Amino acid sequence: MIFCFNQYYKMGNKMFDEFEKKICDEHGEYDAKLMNPGMAGKPRYSLCPKCMEANAEWEKKVSSTNKKEEDFLRKISAKANATLPERYEDATFNSFEVKLGGQEEAKFIAKNYCDYFKNKDYYNLILYGYVGTGKTLLAVAMANELIDKGYSVKYSSVGESTDKLRNSYNRDASISYREIIDEYSRYDLLIIDEVGVQNNTDWELKALYEFVNSRYEKKCPIVVIANIKPEDTGDGADPDKVVEGYLIRHLGDRVVDRLRENDGQMIFFNWGSYRRKTYRK
């Protein structure tokens, strides 16, 4: 043993100094500090500081790698649960073509909407307009943006949602009506597409009300997508009034009242169809 300092500690019947010279196979000689002074038993000295620093750096890299893997797996799971339309499942805001002022404004509002999530400044969003104008594409771009930021999203058409509830009445159903309502209410954002493509029965209106109301009570936002025809806004008709009447017919006034609460915003897609163009990811 090499003594290099004058302060000693008694452990059992032996005396040990506070520091002792040790040899690291990789970094050479270093001052090892006594880690258990004043306690009986075998003395324990600190490890090579350079080895400890290298080990901490390695653990940091491993932790970073694990976090990236966990984030990657989380995104895969979130995308699977989101059930986004396969045609647009990889859409981003760059996928949304901007050539007109209205398109630029729609894209700006959609991006801004995603930014509000971190502040929990939630409100509902209604995308309405003519067929093929990019409403679903922009909604899915929003979904992917939010999933990348760690939020959960669910996309569903009106028909899919109500069919799922209707099938829950089957004797061999694996999930109950209430469990489906609860499932749809747990996502950070719910996107409901193809509003108006339903029979508008009393049962459907009641089911849609339960979907919307369950999220309303939890202060969880909804994005609604609806089509209107160019002739609906002829003779100078106010598009907002037209779509509000349309939504009331297909969703019920109680649902529309909840969607418009807290300044729920509406975006009018009033340009030509994208459908004749090839969608590029």
Coordinates of all heavy atoms in Angstrom, one line a residue, residues 1 19 40 42 51-52 59 109 122 139 148 170 179 184 190 192 212 228-229 232 249 272:
M1 N 0.8 -1.2 0.0 CA 0.0 0.0 0.0 C 0.9 1.3 0.0 O 1.8 1.4 0.7 CB -0.9 0.0 1.2 CG -1.9 1.2 1.3 SD -2.8 1.2 2.9 CE -3.7 -0.4 2.7
F19 N -6.9 8.7 0.8 CA -6.6 8.4 -0.6 C -5.5 7.4 -0.8 O -4.6 7.3 0.1 CB -6.1 9.7 -1.3 CG -7.2 10.7 -1.5 CD1 -7.5 11.6 -0.5 CD2 -8.0 10.7 -2.6 CE1 -8.5 12.6 -0.6 CE2 -9.0 11.7 -2.8 CZ -9.3 12.6 -1.8
A40 N -16.4 -0.4 9.7 CA -15.6 -1.6 9.8 C -15.8 -2.4 8.5 O -16.8 -2.3 7.9 CB -16.1 -2.5 11.0
K42 N -13.9 -4.3 4.9 CA -13.0 -4.1 3.8 C -13.1 -2.7 3.2 O -14.2 -2.3 2.9 CB -13.2 -5.2 2.7 CG -12.1 -5.1 1.6 CD -12.4 -6.3 0.6 CE -11.3 -6.2 -0.5 NZ -11.5 -7.3 -1.5
C51 N -12.5 6.2 -16.4 CA -13.3 5.1 -16.7 C -14.8 5.4 -16.4 O -15.7 5.1 -17.1 CB -12.9 3.8 -15.9 SG -11.4 3.1 -16.6
M52 N -15.0 6.1 -15.2 CA -16.3 6.5 -14.8 C -16.9 7.5 -15.8 O -18.1 7.4 -16.1 CB -16.3 7.0 -13.4 CG -15.9 6.0 -12.3 SD -15.8 6.7 -10.7 CE -17.5 7.2 -10.4
E59 N -23.5 5.2 -21.1 CA -24.8 5.1 -20.7 C -25.8 6.2 -21.3 O -26.9 5.9 -21.6 CB -24.9 5.2 -19.1 CG -24.3 3.9 -18.4 CD -24.4 4.0 -16.9 OE1 -24.7 5.1 -16.4 OE2 -24.2 3.0 -16.3
I109 N -53.8 27.8 -41.1 CA -54.7 27.5 -40.0 C -54.4 26.1 -39.4 O -54.4 25.9 -38.2 CB -56.2 27.7 -40.4 CG1 -56.5 29.1 -40.7 CG2 -57.1 27.2 -39.3 CD1 -57.8 29.4 -41.2
Y122 N -57.3 24.1 -27.0 CA -58.0 23.3 -27.9 C -59.3 24.0 -28.4 O -60.0 24.7 -27.7 CB -58.4 22.0 -27.3 CG -57.3 21.1 -26.8 CD1 -57.5 20.3 -25.7 CD2 -56.1 21.1 -27.4 CE1 -56.4 19.5 -25.2 CE2 -55.1 20.3 -27.0 CZ -55.2 19.5 -25.9 OH -54.2 18.7 -25.5
A139 N -56.2 17.1 -43.4 CA -56.5 16.6 -42.0 C -55.5 15.5 -41.6 O -55.1 15.4 -40.5 CB -57.9 16.0 -42.0
D148 N -46.2 12.8 -34.6 CA -44.8 13.0 -34.5 C -44.4 13.8 -33.2 O -43.3 13.6 -32.6 CB -44.2 13.8 -35.7 CG -44.1 13.0 -36.9 OD1 -44.1 11.7 -36.8 OD2 -44.0 13.5 -38.1
N170 N -74.2 -7.1 -31.6 CA -74.2 -8.6 -32.0 C -73.9 -9.4 -30.8 O -73.1 -9.0 -29.9 CB -73.2 -8.8 -33.1 CG -73.5 -8.1 -34.4 OD1 -74.7 -7.8 -34.6 ND2 -72.6 -7.9 -35.2
E179 N -67.9 0.9 -24.4 CA -66.4 0.8 -24.6 C -66.0 1.5 -25.9 O -64.9 2.1 -25.9 CB -66.0 -0.7 -24.6 CG -66.1 -1.3 -23.2 CD -65.8 -2.8 -23.3 OE1 -66.1 -3.5 -24.3 OE2 -65.4 -3.4 -22.2
Y184 N -63.2 6.2 -28.3 CA -63.1 7.3 -29.2 C -62.8 8.6 -28.4 O -62.4 9.6 -29.0 CB -64.3 7.5 -30.0 CG -64.3 6.7 -31.3 CD1 -64.3 5.3 -31.3 CD2 -64.4 7.3 -32.6 CE1 -64.2 4.5 -32.4 CE2 -64.3 6.5 -33.7 CZ -64.3 5.2 -33.7 OH -64.2 4.4 -34.8
L190 N -59.7 13.6 -32.5 CA -60.6 12.7 -33.3 C -60.9 13.5 -34.6 O -61.4 14.6 -34.6 CB -61.9 12.4 -32.5 CG -62.9 11.6 -33.3 CD1 -62.4 10.2 -33.7 CD2 -64.2 11.5 -32.5
I192 N -63.4 13.2 -37.9 CA -64.6 12.5 -38.4 C -64.8 13.0 -39.8 O -65.0 14.2 -40.1 CB -65.8 12.8 -37.6 CG1 -65.6 12.4 -36.1 CG2 -67.0 12.2 -38.2 CD1 -66.8 12.6 -35.2
V212 N -69.5 12.8 -30.0 CA -69.1 14.2 -29.8 C -69.2 14.6 -28.4 O -68.3 15.3 -27.8 CB -69.9 15.1 -30.7 CG1 -69.6 16.6 -30.4 CG2 -69.7 14.8 -32.2
I228 N -69.7 20.1 -49.5 CA -70.9 20.8 -50.0 C -70.7 21.0 -51.5 O -69.6 20.8 -52.0 CB -71.1 22.2 -49.3 CG1 -70.0 23.1 -49.6 CG2 -71.4 22.0 -47.8 CD1 -70.2 24.5 -49.1
K229 N -71.8 21.2 -52.2 CA -71.7 21.4 -53.7 C -71.6 22.9 -54.1 O -72.1 23.7 -53.3 CB -73.0 20.8 -54.3 CG -73.1 19.3 -54.0 CD -74.4 18.8 -54.6 CE -74.6 17.3 -54.3 NZ -75.9 16.8 -54.8
D232 N -74.6 24.9 -53.9 CA -75.2 25.2 -52.6 C -74.9 26.6 -52.2 O -75.6 27.2 -51.3 CB -74.7 24.2 -51.5 CG -75.2 22.8 -51.7 OD1 -76.2 22.7 -52.3 OD2 -74.5 21.9 -51.3
R249 N -78.4 19.3 -40.3 CA -79.3 18.2 -40.9 C -78.6 16.8 -40.6 O -79.3 15.8 -40.4 CB -79.4 18.4 -42.4 CG -80.3 19.6 -42.7 CD -80.8 19.6 -44.2 NE -79.7 19.5 -45.1 CZ -79.0 20.6 -45.6 NH1 -79.4 21.8 -45.1 NH2 -78.1 20.5 -46.4
G272 N -60.6 24.2 -57.2 CA -60.8 23.0 -58.0 C -60.3 21.8 -57.4 O -59.6 21.7 -56.4

